[in-house]
Amino acid sequence: MRSPLPALLAASLLSLAGCTPEPTPDPVAPDAQLTIGVGFEDVTAGSERLAKIGRELDRVGARGVTIAVGRPDWTAFPWAAHPDAQASSATTDLVRAAIDALGADREVTLVIDVLAPRLLEEHPSEAAVDADGSRSDLFAGAAGYATADIGDRIVELCGAVAERYRPDRVGLTELFLEDTFSDLDRALYEEVTGEDDWPRTRSGGIDTEHASIADFRSQVVADFVGRCDAAAAEHGVGVDMDVRAPWADPTAGRRESGHDYPQLLAEVDRLTVWNYFTLSDRPPSVSRYLTGGMREQLGDDIGRVTMSVGLWSGGAENQTEAHDSTVSPADMAEGVRASLTNGVTAVSVTPASRMTPEHWDALARLGFRR
């Protein structure tokens, strides 16, 4: 019998040196698909950075990549129809360079951020307005997407991106409705619902939690993404939409934000759920609770859902500024595994710019396959 002494000595030396190897977890299921999100900060960082990310994508077995292309008023490529929209850092076609560096043999989703601060300066009446009358300088209101210039520009951008690059999908992010109380929004609400005013509380204020407002928002968002899908479909490209996670009731979606999951899946190919558990002050294990509720609501359509594990921490879900800390590699890995439950087979980790060597190592140990 071989003596166990050499192995025991080796393990002891590793432990004493502080180099105890990480345990290798059971591999994820063979059909599990990993996607990595690449933000504008990496798209504009140059070829060396993109090459490094590409090597890591190979190492962790990523089958997909999402690549930010910018906003309707600030793009990472020269848009002939709107040359003034090109970002100053995008002196060449940075989107094409990112696709070439990262997209080989992978599913490519090109992501449009719908925030439009420059367009809102030109069209202030289309901005989101809260119930107290405060106007957003980043978000459009319901009418801005449904009937006005900002929505038209985003639809146009979906078609332009689909035609220029022919990705697997065009993605839409930051598309949710919270403040929909401008004059234009009220007129649209009355047109859609047949009412002659917002629902009111006893004190006369707008009843912002009234079910009719959630219904209105959900209809506006579904109709809008349907327009985006039609523009992309002209070039054989599908649409993927980011949605907020249903923390309060995993069987119900987020209708108050305009995110009625079944209604949206009638219009687009896929939904990507913001499973940003740290921003919502929840443990990574909550991911299993989410997928269970969504499976109850969606049935087999759960297979059209991607759970997105976000690495931002130190803030709240609805903040748009940078967060000051990052989810740990261990919590990220646990969130990824817990997301691949109840029929979900697709998970993403985003953004690549937040990933340390330890994050990449943790993903590699999960055993995803290309």
Side-chain angles (χ1 to χ4, degrees), residues 38-51 53 65-70 74-79 85-103 108-111 161 164-165:
V38 178
F40 201 86
E41 67 279 8
D42 280 326
V43 172
T44 59
S47 59
E48 187 173 333
R49 171 62 180 164
L50 290 173
I53 294 173
V65 62
T66 65
I67 298 171
V69 302
W74 194 58
T75 65
F77 67 94
W79 188 4
Q86 186 173 346
S88 59
S89 56
T91 55
T92 59
D93 189 340
L94 299 179
V95 175
R96 174 58 64 192
I99 294 171
D100 290 345
L102 307 175
V108 173
T109 301
L110 299 182
V111 179
V161 168
R164 185 181 182 97
Y165 301 107

Side-chain angles (χ1 to χ4, degrees), residues 280-296:
S280 298
D281 198 27
R282 291 171 168 86
S285 59
V286 76
S287 309
R288 189 182 301 270
Y289 164 73
L290 290 180
T291 62
M294 289 189 293
R295 177 60 184 259
E296 183 178 335

Side-chain angles (χ1 to χ4, degrees), residues 206-246:
I206 299 173
D207 183 357
T208 59
E209 297 182 3
H210 196 275
S212 68
I213 293 178
D215 292 344
F216 162 66
R217 291 172 178 170
S218 296
Q219 188 63 56
V220 167
V221 174
D223 288 347
F224 176 68
V225 298
R227 292 170 59 203
C228 293
D229 184 77
E234 289 185 13
H235 310 286
V237 177
V239 168
D240 182 353
M241 179 183 166
D242 285 6
V243 293
R244 287 175 151 177

Side-chain angles (χ1 to χ4, degrees), residues 126-260:
E126 299 178 24
V129 176
D130 69 17
D132 295 324
S134 297
R135 187 177 301 274
S136 174
D137 58 4
L138 289 174
F139 292 92
Y145 295 118
T147 61
D149 301 88
I150 290 176
D152 289 346
R153 177 74 72 92
I154 295 167
V155 171
E156 184 183 359
L157 181 55
C158 287
V161 168
E163 179 180 22
R164 185 181 182 97
Y165 301 107
R166 305 301 169 100
D168 294 281
R169 282 178 290 276
V170 172
L172 297 168
T173 192
E174 301 290 350
L175 177 55
F176 56 87
L177 297 176
E178 275 191 336
D179 300 320
T180 55
F181 303 109
S182 70
D183 291 341
L184 289 178
D185 290 343
R186 175 176 166 171
L188 182 62
Y189 172 84
E190 293 173 354
E191 177 184 336
V192 169
T193 65
E195 302 292 335
D196 59 5
D197 189 13
W198 297 114
R200 298 285 174 176
T201 63
R202 287 174 179 261
S203 62
I206 299 173
D207 183 357
T208 59
E209 297 182 3
H210 196 275
S212 68
I213 293 178
D215 292 344
F216 162 66
R217 291 172 178 170
S218 296
Q219 188 63 56
V220 167
V221 174
D223 288 347
F224 176 68
V225 298
R227 292 170 59 203
C228 293
D229 184 77
E234 289 185 13
H235 310 286
V237 177
V239 168
D240 182 353
M241 179 183 166
D242 285 6
V243 293
R244 287 175 151 177
W247 302 115
D249 180 356
T251 68
R254 292 287 294 269
R255 291 180 57 78
E256 80 284 1
S257 297
H259 293 173
D260 180 304

Side-chain angles (χ1 to χ4, degrees), residues 115-132:
L115 301 184
R118 291 168 61 188
L119 284 175
L120 286 174
E121 289 181 0
E122 299 173 15
H123 306 284
S125 64
E126 299 178 24
V129 176
D130 69 17
D132 295 324

